[in-house]
Amino acid sequence: MPEHNLLFFLGAFLFSSGLYIVFTKKNAIMILLGIELMLNAANLNLVIFNQLTTGYDGQFFALFVIVVAVCEAAVGLALIFRIYHYFHTSVPDQFSDLKEIN
Amino acid sequence: MSYGNLFLYLFMLSAFVSVAAMLFTRTIFFAALSLIVCLLSISGIFALLNAEFLAITQIVIYAGGVLVLILFGIMLTNKISGKPLLMEAHHSIPGMIISIVLFLLLVDAYQKTSFTATESIQLQSNHINHIGTNLMSTYVAPFEVAGLLLLVSLIGAALMASLTKKNNNA
């Protein structure tokens, strides 16, 4: 099937562009978006592998990956809110203190 | 070329274009909206690859839940209201080198792997029935652990986001 090759290319492209976003963007929300993109590229690969083999194991893995991604997004956004309340910024380079500033 | 293949190529093209827009835009709101387009295209690909339940889950959870949450996050952490939140990039060259090398590694690995089980694709029509029964029988332990993880992260996120300044001397 020739389209499986193209789908693998698409998965690799999504994963590496998510990695690029995580590395280079300064905003914390943008980093979260990059992580979501990488998790979705992994899901895409799992579904293609599921198509290439018998059974439904790939789809179950993808389902649990989606659950973990949701938990990660919720906790990450809550952390960003707390940090924004303290430091009034959402750029991770600008909050390097562990203690509260008085 | 059948209609399924045509739609598969269309979804792949739209996913590619939206991710490219995400890479090159400077407005973070626009980046989140292109991520929605990308996730919807991926759910279309799922639906064409015999994973209908995953496609529906992807639409409901990502486009309905996570991205709305992220859009609220962008709007709540916007310092100057009315002005679009711009993002700067740093370490562009090393990031580009690392991601291009990773992309080439992944493509190389795909081309060196032979998927021998291609002939044995199941052509069942009731995927969702099968997923439901297996989720409650074979995969019941990870299912329960996933529910517990969701509960714990929900409580943790709500607690963390609602802490007030009253107890900061405790």
Side-chain angles (χ1 to χ4, degrees):
Chain A
M1 287 192 189
E3 63 261 26
H4 281 142
N5 257 330
L6 265 177
L7 281 171
F8 281 135
F9 281 134
L10 181 68
F13 174 71
L14 291 186
F15 194 88
S16 43
S17 42
L19 192 72
Y20 176 76
I21 289 172
V22 170
F23 270 143
T24 59
K25 305 296 183 192
K26 277 187 178 173
N27 203 300
I29 292 175
M30 207 58 211
I31 295 174
L32 265 183
L33 290 190
I35 293 172
E36 296 291 330
L37 197 58
M38 287 161 77
L39 286 168
N40 261 282
N43 267 351
L44 183 61
N45 268 1
L46 284 173
V47 171
I48 305 167
F49 290 146
N50 176 63
Q51 180 85 348
L52 290 174
T53 55
T54 55
Y56 291 91
D57 294 344
Q59 293 192 24
F60 286 111
F61 266 95
L63 212 54
F64 294 124
V65 167
I66 286 179
V67 172
V68 175
V70 168
C71 296
E72 171 261 329
V75 176
L77 275 173
L79 277 175
I80 291 175
F81 284 152
R82 291 309 299 161
I83 287 170
Y84 185 77
H85 277 228
Y86 273 129
F87 294 99
H88 298 288
T89 179
S90 59
V91 179
D93 284 341
Q94 293 174 11
F95 36 83
S96 50
D97 306 300
L98 284 178
K99 258 182 79 176
E100 183 180 350
I101 300 172
N102 287 316
Chain B
M1 184 191 291
S2 65
Y3 281 118
N5 272 358
L6 183 65
F7 277 109
L8 192 62
Y9 289 129
L10 273 180
F11 282 133
M12 285 163 69
L13 185 69
S14 72
F16 183 83
V17 169
S18 54
V19 171
M22 228 180 127
L23 285 179
F24 293 116
T25 182
R26 286 181 52 82
T27 320
I28 190 165
F29 198 78
F30 185 73
L33 292 182
S34 5
L35 186 68
I36 294 182
V37 175
C38 173
L39 296 179
L40 290 179
S41 328
I42 290 179
S43 85
I45 294 174
F46 284 174
L48 292 173
L49 288 181
N50 294 327
E52 296 92 357
F53 184 70
L54 263 181
I56 303 292
T57 313
Q58 174 100 351
I59 292 176
V60 170
I61 290 183
Y62 272 108
V66 173
L67 261 300
V68 171
L69 206 66
I70 285 177
L71 288 183
F72 268 109
I74 291 171
M75 286 188 262
L76 284 178
T77 58
N78 201 345
K79 204 187 286 181
I80 309 125
S81 62
K83 212 177 152 193
L85 187 62
L86 293 180
M87 54 187 176
E88 306 105 62
H90 58 169
H91 312 309
S92 287
I93 303 296
M96 199 174 291
I97 290 171
I98 288 172
S99 43
I100 286 175
V101 166
L102 181 78
F103 177 73
L104 292 179
L105 264 177
L106 285 175
V107 168
D108 190 44
Y110 291 146
Q111 286 182 339
K112 278 183 184 159
T113 313
S114 64
F115 298 100
T116 51
T118 314
E119 294 84 19
S120 54
I121 297 173
Q122 280 187 345
L123 288 175
Q124 291 182 357
S125 56
N126 51 351
H127 306 290
I128 296 183
N129 276 351
H130 198 271
I131 283 180
T133 29
N134 261 7
L135 206 56
M136 277 298 153
S137 57
T138 315
Y139 292 92
V140 67
F143 184 72
E144 297 290 335
V145 172
L148 197 67
L149 179 69
L150 269 176
L151 178 72
V152 169
S153 72
L154 182 72
I155 293 173
L159 196 70
M160 213 181 318
S162 69
L163 281 177
T164 51
K165 281 259 183 179
K166 276 181 294 185
N167 50 1
N168 60 354
N169 50 3

